[in-house]
Amino acid sequence: MTSGGPSAAVGRVLRIAGGVYHVDDSTTVVQASLRGRVKRTDSRIVSVGDLVELERVGDEMRIVRLRGRTGALSRHGVSKRREQVIVANVDQVAVVVSVTGPDPDFLMVDRLLALAALSGIDAFLVVNKTDLAEPAPGDGLGQYEALGVETLRTSAESGAGLTALAGRLAGRITVLSGQSGVGKSSLLNALVPELDLRVGEISERRGRGRHTTVASALYRYPDGGYVADTPGLQYLALWGLDPAELPGGFVEIDAAGEACRFADCRHRVEPDCAVRAAVDAGTIRRRRLESYLRLLDEAEKGR
C-alpha cells in the first residue's frame, strides 16, 4: 500500500460507530471515513487502537493507511474463520474480577491471562468490590498471586486501591477485561469521572452482569496513555493458537511439563505425565489443568 504522503497526519482509532472512525490525532478527536483503497489493498480490518494515517479530502478526513500493529488482543470472529481484533497495540491487560456479585469466573480469568501471556502482553489481576466482602482464604483468587500474577484489590465504591490502579494505568494502553458486572465501567468512572460510562446492574435471577458496553472503545487517560472498556466477554476463543504453545499461558503447567516423559505431552492420558502427577500431589490446582485442557481442545479443533 502506498503511504499517505508527507502531509498525512497520524492518529489512533478510539472507537468505531456506523462506519465512522473517531481518531485522536494528539490535538483533538476527528471523525474520519475509510478510503476505498485501504479496504481493497489491506486484508486487516481497521480496529480500535490502530495507528492510522489521515488525509483531508475537501471537508472530510479519510484514513488512507493502516500502520503496523503490536500487542493486539484478538479472538475468533462470528464465522470463526477470521480474526476479530478487540483492541490493537495493547500494552497491558487488567483482568477484572469481583469478590462477589458475580462470583469469579475462573475459566475466563485463565483464558485472559493465557491470551495475554501468549500475545506477549503484560497482565495483572484486579479484584474489585472489596467493599462488599474480603476474598476468603482458599477461594481461588490467591492462587494467581502465588503464580506471580500482580494483584490489586479495589473498590470503586469506597475508593480503596484506586491510587495504586491509577499509577498502573498511567502512560500505557490498557484493556480492562472480564465478565459482565465485575465493575470495569465503575472503576473507569471512578478514575476518570468525565467519562460517565453506563454501569449495569446484576441480574438477580442469574447472578450475572448485564452488558452495558456494547463495543470496544479507547479513552484518553489523564496521566497519559489510554484505557479501554471492552464488552463483557462470556466466551473468549483464542485466535490462531498453536496447541504446542498453549502451556506458555499456564506458567506452572509449563514448568512441570519439563519433567514429562514425552516432550510433546499434552497432559491428558500420556504415561509418566509430570503435570498430572503434580495435580494429584496438590501442587497444581486441578481446575487450572481443566482450564488448560479445555483451551487445548479448542486450539486443536481450530476454533
Side-chain angles (χ1 to χ4, degrees):
M1 181 185 302
T2 58
S3 171
S7 62
V10 177
R12 189 177 302 277
V13 178
L14 301 185
R15 65 187 181 94
I16 304 168
V20 178
Y21 296 77
H22 298 253
V23 182
D24 181 5
D25 68 0
S26 77
T27 57
T28 187
V29 177
V30 300
Q31 296 184 13
S33 59
L34 191 62
R35 186 176 176 181
R37 182 183 295 177
V38 179
K39 297 179 184 178
R40 293 193 302 270
T41 59
D42 198 320
S43 61
R44 296 171 297 171
I45 298 174
V46 176
S47 304
V48 169
D50 271 324
L51 286 172
V52 296
E53 293 183 8
L54 301 163
E55 280 188 350
R56 181 171 292 281
V57 179
D59 294 331
E60 293 185 17
M61 294 296 291
R62 293 186 183 175
I63 294 172
V64 296
R65 186 171 184 263
L66 173 60
R67 291 197 168 185
R69 288 180 182 146
T70 59
L73 183 63
S74 303
R75 65 180 176 185
H76 283 283
V78 175
S79 68
K80 299 191 183 297
R81 297 194 184 108
R82 189 164 191 172
E83 178 184 19
Q84 179 186 3
V85 176
I86 301 170
V87 182
N89 301 310
V90 177
D91 293 323
Q92 59 184 3
V93 176
V95 181
V96 185
V97 298
S98 56
V99 178
T100 185
D103 293 334
D105 182 339
F106 291 109
L107 175 60
M108 180 172 288
V109 174
D110 291 339
R111 283 178 182 273
L112 290 168
L113 291 176
L115 174 58
L118 294 167
S119 302
I121 301 172
D122 289 338
F124 60 100
L125 189 67
V126 178
V127 180
N128 195 33
K129 300 189 182 181
T130 56
D131 58 298
L132 298 180
E134 280 295 324
D139 67 353
L141 291 173
Q143 68 177 294
Y144 296 107
E145 282 185 291
L147 293 172
V149 178
E150 179 185 357
T151 302
L152 303 179
R153 290 172 172 78
T154 62
S155 168
E157 185 69 26
S158 71
L162 294 186
T163 299
L165 178 58
R168 195 66 169 76
L169 302 182
R172 303 182 186 185
I173 299 178
T174 307
V175 169
L176 277 72
S177 198
Q179 67 200 102
S180 297
V182 296
K184 300 184 299 293
S185 296
S186 295
L187 286 171
L188 287 178
N189 283 338
L191 293 171
V192 192
E194 57 269 27
L195 291 181
D196 194 24
L197 299 176
R198 287 183 58 201
V199 177
E201 299 175 349
I202 303 300
S203 165
E204 293 182 2
R205 182 169 66 90
R206 294 188 176 183
R208 299 176 182 174
R210 296 192 178 100
H211 295 274
T212 52
T213 305
V214 296
S216 297
L218 276 183
Y219 304 97
R220 287 174 171 172
Y221 191 65
D223 295 327
Y226 300 87
V227 290
D229 188 16
T230 59
L233 303 175
Q234 299 300 332
Y235 180 80
L236 179 65
L238 306 183
W239 165 259
L241 176 63
D242 181 349
E245 296 177 355
L246 182 59
F250 295 80
V251 61
E252 76 278 37
I253 292 176
D254 196 29
E258 293 293 326
C260 288
R261 177 199 236 179
F262 300 107
D264 61 350
C265 184
R266 290 292 191 262
H267 319 309
R268 286 192 179 106
V269 297
E270 297 87 345
D272 298 326
C273 173
V275 171
R276 292 204 318 277
V279 171
D280 291 340
T283 55
I284 292 179
R285 285 182 177 249
R286 188 170 300 277
R287 190 198 52 71
R288 285 279 287 174
L289 177 60
E290 291 170 353
S291 287
Y292 161 82
L293 291 175
R294 183 164 174 177
L295 291 177
L296 180 63
D297 287 343
E298 294 174 10
E300 290 177 342
K301 293 174 182 175
R303 295 178 60 185

